[in-house]
Amino acid sequence: MTDNISNNIKISVKSLYKIFGPKPQSVLQAVKDGMGKPELMEKHNHVLALQDINIDMVDGEITVIMGLSGSGKSTIIRHLNRLIEPTTGEVLVDGIDVLKLSAEELRIMRQTKLSMVFQKFALLPHKTVLENAGTPLRIRGVGDEESINAEAQKWIDRVGLSGNENQYPHQLSGGMQQRVGIARALTSNSEVMLMDEAFSALDPLIRTVMQDLLLELQKDLHKTIVFITHDLDEALKLADHLVILKDGAIIQQGEPQDILLNPNDPYIEDFVSDINRARVLKVRSIMSEIEHDLPSNEENCCDFDDTLEDVIAHSEGEILKSYVVMQDGKPVGALHMKDLVKALVPRVSSTPSAKAS
Amino acid sequence: MAFYDPIINVLGLREWCDSTVVKSDTPKSMAELLADAAGKDSVETAWYDIPFPSLDNLNQSCGAIDRTRDMTSGVEAVFLDIKDPLKTVLDPLTQPLSWLLDGSLYLFTHTPWWVLIPLVLFLSFKVTRSWPTVILVAATFFFFAFIDHYTYAVETLSIIFVCTVLCILFGIPIGILMSKNDWFQKINIPILDMLQTLPSFVYLIPLIFLFSVTESKLYGIAIMLYAIVPVIRLTDLGIRLVDKDIIEAADAFGMSKKQKLFGVEIPLALPTIMAGINQTIMMALSILVIASLVSAPGLGTLVLRGIRNLELGVGLISGFCIVLLAIMLDRVSKKALSRINAAQDH
């Protein structure tokens, strides 16, 4: 799998460091030699925001960067469109180093390639929904007013706001405002969408609806989406590639199922111990090699991408059964209910705190 | 012998001090006169009566040190020296202000009342869209006209109109520059503080020296210097207070600086800027009374007459008219402000 994705990497972040403080360059070497965040703060009064970040983001996939507040996730996403200048490192978008662009080139890159959705929506309060959605095209200065409005209207309809286009943002609920934010990003027709905690300010029910909306849009549009969140459930739901950040450093990245089953750090074990594994884990992650003595008629119940919850519902609680797993109508593996039940229990953690929780 | 003599001697400055001959005909200070009157040559000083080493006290021990009186007359001399070149530069530069003020006065006072009053009412409806405010304006004008204060009030209004428009024209760009440039802001804030706290009469003193009292730009400059401060300050503040998230979004979508300024920052700062304009109008009105000392026409002249001739009734009535005018201007500009606020409530 790693082989075929390396071909179409859209965004590549290479050994990115960010240090906040009066003279970041002067302490950079110390950080590279392994000085940690608390020590840097104490000795040099600089804040280490990001250290040695390397991420490859695949074209058409959702990359989720997850971490608690202060872990540097918002700082990373602002490096991708250079709202923040790094201390050192490279950010390649389509092979072009964003950090080497001139101010003018950077503006054009932001206008055409990188759109952004914000946690606090950041809509223009004095413009209507339609005008807000058309902002990216108006900034670029392409097309007449009529074609801009037509394009904006198309995306407003697409995000389910038909009929609201002449309202002002303050007349809309938070969820609707964020739909405008998404419509605005889509109107720019950029290949990359940066979403900075886009759904964190919404209440849980609306958040789920918005996540579904995003996944549904993504099914047709195949954008490269970089999504920031502090919510693990959200991360697991959306991510094709999950990056977990702690104190400005990546502690694990990869396929979310893989991280869930094989956390490589007590911090992540702590994190994943709280979630509903049956809903998140998929059959493909726990199935075993295909066995020929399995009954392959009525018992081949499960699709490759079903969640364990689906299987449990299907088995009606029987734990001695085994199933054949199908993908596109062909058997690809076997699922033993015994393994399924084992997978529901987080791996016995080395830290007592994880056990307690 | 004066108190600081020994110190001067110890420091070896005696020769330098005596090198300047003290002119005998210079006026004496109050302390010296008192000492003379008491018939003593020099006053014996007790140890706890140490005089502060001020210019006057040091001068007694050392003639080379100037007295405070010499300092103030020095300032005056410097000002008088630069006055002529300054005038050559400033006079033509500020001449358009005189024309504007005079032209506007002519226009306002020569428009018949039955044209001007409906025009004012129409404009106030245009900016406020509020009938109660228009009724207030109408009532105010009819009251002025009824008690024969109409011409004075219109003169006042004309001056305020010209000065406020000019304050906005200069003040908003200065405010924008201040919000964009921290250094420019640091330099400007003390100047604005000074303009705002300087007693209004002090403005007039150098202006009287520079320009002739008969020229209208004299009071025009005084009013503008005083009234421009709020619009500058609040423009700067308004733009600095624009939601950082929205600015970030504007950057993220690749807005140019110009697009950001005119499409985001000024529209979002507009309520604050309008509050500044409201304050500017109020301050222009308040200094206009004082400016009547230097021949500014309008209601202020009546107040001045009331004070000068002790005509209590004239002073009180014209004072009341000024209050009415202030209330009217304030309500109209506040109503216009609240219309903008309502349009972008968030």
Side-chain angles (χ1 to χ4, degrees), chain A residues 298-312:
Chain A
E298 77 280 357
E299 295 286 15
N300 48 3
C301 73
C302 315
D303 190 75
F304 188 73
D305 269 334
D306 279 350
T307 62
L308 301 191
E309 216 172 42
D310 299 331
V311 181
I312 293 168

Side-chain angles (χ1 to χ4, degrees), chain B residues 37 77 201 241 321 334:
Chain B
F201 293 104
L241 285 186
C321 286
K334 277 230 179 89

Side-chain angles (χ1 to χ4, degrees), chain B residues 170-222:
Chain B
F170 288 106
I172 290 183
I174 295 175
I176 291 171
L177 275 179
M178 273 173 73
S179 71
K180 295 288 165 197
N181 187 325
D182 286 344
W183 269 106
F184 191 63
Q185 192 200 31
K186 276 206 185 104
I187 296 165
N188 262 292
I189 280 184
I191 299 176
L192 294 179
D193 287 340
M194 189 191 79
L195 287 177
Q196 214 167 15
T197 48
L198 211 60
S200 354
F201 293 104
V202 179
Y203 282 98
L204 301 178
I205 299 171
L207 290 176
I208 291 168
F209 276 90
L210 274 178
F211 306 112
S212 135
V213 184
T214 52
E215 280 179 295
S216 36
K217 65 184 169 194
L218 174 57
Y219 63 79
I221 294 172

Side-chain angles (χ1 to χ4, degrees), chain A residues 78 107 110-111 120 139 170, chain B residues 245 248 251 254 259 345:
Chain A
R78 278 165 179 70
R107 276 206 310 115
R110 285 171 176 173
Q111 287 173 359
K120 290 177 188 153
I139 294 171
H170 70 269
Chain B
D245 292 322
E248 191 177 48
D251 283 333
Q259 285 173 325
D345 194 15

Side-chain angles (χ1 to χ4, degrees), chain B residues 56-206:
Chain B
D56 278 354
N57 289 329
L58 288 174
N59 172 269
Q60 285 185 10
S61 310
C62 173
I65 297 174
D66 283 339
R67 287 186 295 181
T68 303
R69 170 186 296 138
D70 302 321
M71 185 188 73
T72 48
S73 55
V75 169
E76 192 180 313
V78 168
F79 185 79
L80 289 176
D81 281 346
I82 62 165
K83 186 193 112 179
D84 284 328
L86 205 61
K87 194 178 159 125
T88 346
V89 180
L90 284 182
D91 227 12
L93 267 182
T94 51
Q95 198 50 46
L97 180 61
S98 278
W99 297 333
L100 270 177
L101 285 165
D102 294 338
S104 156
L105 263 180
Y106 183 86
L107 202 69
F108 271 69
T109 47
H110 284 73
T111 311
W113 63 267
W114 44 267
V115 174
L116 190 68
I117 296 182
L119 191 70
V120 168
L121 293 182
F122 174 74
L123 283 178
S124 41
F125 181 72
K126 266 295 208 198
V127 298
T128 63
R129 306 271 157 170
S130 142
W131 284 114
T133 314
V134 175
I135 291 169
L136 174 77
V137 176
T140 313
F141 265 89
F142 283 118
F143 177 72
F144 287 155
F146 188 67
I147 60 166
D148 288 305
H149 281 56
Y150 172 79
T151 315
Y152 294 106
V154 161
E155 283 169 354
T156 303
L157 213 56
S158 148
I159 295 168
I160 288 178
F161 174 75
V162 171
C163 291
T164 307
V165 168
L166 288 175
C167 281
I168 293 169
L169 281 182
F170 288 106
I172 290 183
I174 295 175
I176 291 171
L177 275 179
M178 273 173 73
S179 71
K180 295 288 165 197
N181 187 325
D182 286 344
W183 269 106
F184 191 63
Q185 192 200 31
K186 276 206 185 104
I187 296 165
N188 262 292
I189 280 184
I191 299 176
L192 294 179
D193 287 340
M194 189 191 79
L195 287 177
Q196 214 167 15
T197 48
L198 211 60
S200 354
F201 293 104
V202 179
Y203 282 98
L204 301 178
I205 299 171

Side-chain angles (χ1 to χ4, degrees), chain A residues 78 81 83 107 110-111 114-116 118 120 122-126 135-136 139 170 184, chain B residues 245-246 248-256 259 263-264 267-268 342-346:
Chain A
R78 278 165 179 70
N81 59 358
L83 288 173
R107 276 206 310 115
R110 285 171 176 173
Q111 287 173 359
L114 305 160
S115 57
M116 197 162 178
F118 296 86
K120 290 177 188 153
L123 303 172
L124 297 176
H126 61 295
T135 309
I139 294 171
H170 70 269
R184 175 172 67 177
Chain B
D245 292 322
I246 297 179
E248 191 177 48
D251 283 333
F253 280 98
M255 275 198 188
S256 65
Q259 285 173 325
V264 181
L268 294 193
Q344 52 168 273
D345 194 15
H346 50 284

Side-chain angles (χ1 to χ4, degrees), chain A residues 137-153:
Chain A
L137 296 179
R138 225 164 266 130
I139 294 171
R140 224 182 292 166
V142 291
D144 49 36
E145 204 53 20
E146 205 170 310
S147 66
I148 289 177
N149 282 340
E151 181 73 8
Q153 185 66 48

